[in-house]
Amino acid sequence: MKIFYRGAALLLCVCLAAGFAGCKKAEKEPEESTVERLDYSTLDLSQYIRLGAYTGLSVAQKEGQSAGDAVWQAVAAECEILRYPEEQVAYYAAQTRAKYRYYARENDLKYEEVLNLFETTEEEIEAQARALVAEDLVYRAVAEDAGIEITQEEKDRLFERYVTKYIEDYGYSRDYVIGNMTDEIVESMRYDKTTEFLITHNTFPGK
């Protein structure tokens, strides 16, 4: 299985868990109080997203764009977000605010000054949170509808690859990854398996 990794959503969660400014590699273990779980398990996805076609699409892949990014963009265009789950939106918004507050503390600035420095607003933070939740909903709706799950054999075979990738990309210690990020790793496997499924079941004219 190729490792694709999720885009903004996973990057935001991982970087904030590390307590970062500028998404630098963590030089110490993340503080446990900042590592929260984003849970969709209790949601009836049909109440939040109307899933459109996700196979048989003709996917336009831009120059320099990965097949994975292109196919997810095409699939998302076929879907309709009916409403946003409040808890998940609040989670992403809180994580983004935590990033800016961390930057403010480290640089002796006020929170509002940091927002101005990064040319963002509370409204934009909420909009970004909704966009990340929309990505989550599309992914989870496709995986659920297609019946994509990670088998125990796949977990055993692929786990070490993902542990190594997390260590190399985010600077975590091996013990921390194995002890605290198993759920995230399995979710990454499922996302990658779903991405491979979409690439296989859609066409890319001109590529």
Side-chain angles (χ1 to χ4, degrees):
M1 184 187 298
K2 181 178 179 181
I3 297 179
F4 293 94
Y5 276 118
R6 301 198 56 190
L10 179 63
L11 183 62
L12 177 66
C13 291
V14 171
C15 288
L16 284 169
F20 76 120
C23 203
K24 64 185 179 182
K25 288 189 175 182
E27 297 177 355
K28 59 181 180 180
E29 303 294 0
E31 295 179 8
E32 188 62 30
S33 62
T34 69
V35 182
E36 300 177 12
R37 303 298 181 188
L38 184 61
D39 185 18
Y40 286 84
S41 63
T42 62
L43 294 186
D44 176 359
L45 294 177
S46 66
Q47 300 299 308
Y48 297 92
I49 181 171
R50 181 174 291 116
L51 183 62
Y54 57 86
T55 61
L57 301 176
S58 179
V59 179
Q61 186 176 355
K62 300 175 183 178
E63 188 69 29
Q65 186 181 33
S66 70
D69 286 346
V71 76
W72 277 116
Q73 187 175 51
V75 170
E78 298 290 322
C79 299
E80 179 185 358
I81 303 298
L82 304 175
R83 61 191 179 100
Y84 294 91
E86 294 181 4
E87 182 178 333
Q88 286 73 16
V89 172
Y91 168 85
Y92 279 126
Q95 292 288 70
T96 301
R97 293 186 184 103
K99 176 185 69 173
Y100 291 133
R101 290 192 176 103
Y102 175 86
Y103 188 93
R105 289 196 304 271
E106 292 297 302
N107 293 276
D108 196 24
L109 296 170
K110 294 181 179 179
Y111 174 74
E112 292 75 13
E113 292 175 324
V114 173
L115 293 185
N116 291 333
L117 179 64
F118 286 94
E119 298 181 342
T120 192
T121 64
E122 287 292 335
E123 290 75 15
E124 289 174 346
I125 290 173
E126 290 290 333
Q128 181 192 40
R130 288 191 295 273
L132 293 173
V133 169
E135 289 182 12
D136 289 345
L137 291 173
V138 172
Y139 150 60
R140 292 175 183 279
V142 170
E144 181 178 286
D145 192 73
I148 297 173
E149 299 292 345
I150 299 299
T151 66
Q152 188 60 51
E153 185 276 330
E154 287 172 324
K155 292 178 185 178
D156 294 341
R157 174 167 51 85
L158 298 169
F159 187 76
E160 190 60 37
R161 285 179 57 195
Y162 281 79
V163 169
T164 300
K165 189 67 174 174
Y166 271 62
I167 293 170
E168 291 177 349
D169 286 359
Y170 306 120
Y172 292 146
S173 72
R174 179 179 177 81
D175 288 344
Y176 182 83
V177 172
I178 293 174
N180 297 274
M181 305 199 73
T182 300
D183 290 345
E184 286 82 356
I185 287 175
V186 174
E187 197 64 56
S188 292
M189 291 180 188
R190 189 181 186 219
Y191 176 82
D192 292 347
K193 188 174 181 178
T194 307
T195 302
E196 287 186 345
F197 171 88
L198 292 178
I199 291 173
T200 300
H201 289 80
N202 292 283
T203 59
F204 298 77
K207 295 296 180 179

